[in-house]
Amino acid sequence: MSSIDLAVIGGSGLYKFPGLENTARHAVDTPYGSASGDVVIGDFAGKRVAFLARHGESHSLPPHRVNYRANLWALHSLGARKVIGVNAVGGIRADMGPRVIVVPDQVIDYTHGRYSSFCDVDGAEVKHIDFSEPYTESLRQILLTAAAKAGIAVIAGGCYGATQGPRLETRAEIARMKRDGCDLVGMTGMPEASLARELELQYACLALVANFAAGCGDEAEISIDEIFAHLAAATAEVPRILAALLES
Ligand code: HPA
């Protein structure tokens, strides 16, 4: 039985977990190098929660430099079995505008040059995971039920397109992603989801829309200040959703 009920990987705008009490910090040495920072384990809503800031607590790691393998390894080695990745995204679909929260159900990976498998080291056993459904459906459903219980509107389903970053995309890139079937665009959803699957972790994504992706809104340009303002508003809902999840 795992001593951690839920692990949360915080994205841009979520560097500390509000309300996490009686915390202890864990610096985990992994075979893949350092995680983004200490894993903070504490009590929240009567349960044990582990929190890790994906970009570091002072947002010093851009998406392509996050050590996704070390992060997931660290959470797994501390006993986490259920992981929620909180990710800032741009909305491509018309109903996925700023401040909307989405629990996506599909992924297209446009990233490159990231260590994307635990098999990627000499001598490792080659493991082919089924990734038809990139997120753990039962955990997605638990998340959706929790949001409903908390009275927070969340869109169920959508395809997350993972881009390399750290720059935002061109209009042409987003138009292509739209043709491909992407509803959201973000820079950190992969390889986090597939690495979680390799470790047999349950994993779901809580995507917080910070802006309309390039060419999808009315603005000619995307304002980074507005991104962070929208993100702060959406992030404020996260603890309530997770409290409802843990209380049920
Ligand atoms: N593109 C990629 N990642 C993002 C965006 C975006 O428009 N907004 C927030 N994260």
Side-chain angles (χ1 to χ4, degrees):
M1 179 67 182
S2 161
S3 56
I4 295 175
D5 297 295
L6 186 71
V8 178
I9 303 178
S12 296
L14 185 59
Y15 309 112
K16 285 200 164 42
F17 194 93
L20 196 58
E21 291 176 339
N22 309 317
T23 55
R25 302 180 70 92
H26 300 260
V28 184
D29 225 5
T30 89
Y32 307 96
S34 305
S36 297
D38 293 348
V39 178
V40 182
I41 301 180
D43 299 320
F44 178 73
K47 298 277 168 52
R48 297 293 288 164
V49 170
F51 178 78
L52 177 60
R54 187 186 287 114
H55 299 281
E57 288 176 12
S58 57
H59 200 141
S60 49
L61 292 166
H64 62 292
R65 297 199 58 202
V66 169
N67 190 338
Y68 296 92
R69 291 195 300 189
N71 286 354
L72 288 159
W73 186 272
L75 293 173
H76 184 271
S77 70
L78 289 167
R81 294 297 176 262
K82 286 189 176 72
V83 180
I84 305 285
V86 181
N87 301 78
V89 295
I92 297 176
R93 215 166 85 185
D95 60 343
M96 294 184 178
R99 304 190 181 199
V100 167
I101 303 178
V102 185
V103 178
D105 62 349
Q106 275 299 325
V107 165
I108 299 179
D109 187 6
Y110 301 90
T111 66
H112 50 84
R114 300 183 180 189
Y115 289 111
S116 56
S117 171
F118 291 105
C119 306
D120 205 4
V121 288
D122 287 342
E125 180 204 349
V126 177
K127 201 170 174 181
H128 296 286
I129 51 163
D130 172 33
F131 205 49
S132 316
E133 299 299 334
Y135 302 112
T136 305
E137 186 56 23
S138 53
L139 191 56
R140 285 189 65 250
Q141 292 305 328
I142 289 170
L143 204 45
L144 290 166
T145 305
K149 202 173 125 198
I152 296 169
V154 167
I155 296 181
C159 180
Y160 180 116
T163 55
Q164 181 71 356
R167 65 168 177 83
L168 299 178
E169 300 71 33
T170 65
R171 286 168 183 260
E173 285 167 339
I174 294 295
R176 180 183 74 154
M177 291 178 74
K178 194 172 181 173
R179 290 194 297 276
D180 285 352
C182 295
D183 301 307
L184 300 164
V185 54
M187 303 174 191
T188 50
M190 285 295 288
E192 199 170 274
S194 55
L195 289 166
R197 181 66 51 83
E198 283 193 1
L199 290 180
E200 298 179 16
L201 289 163
Q202 296 183 46
Y203 180 87
C205 166
L206 195 57
L208 311 179
V209 182
N211 57 287
F212 268 121
C216 297
D218 296 333
E219 303 85 6
E221 285 178 17
I222 297 169
S223 148
I224 304 300
D225 287 346
E226 276 180 32
I227 284 190
F228 279 95
H230 290 313
L231 209 45
T235 301
E237 311 278 37
V238 172
R240 278 172 56 215
I241 297 175
L242 297 182
L245 185 155
L246 290 163
E247 280 159 4
S248 55

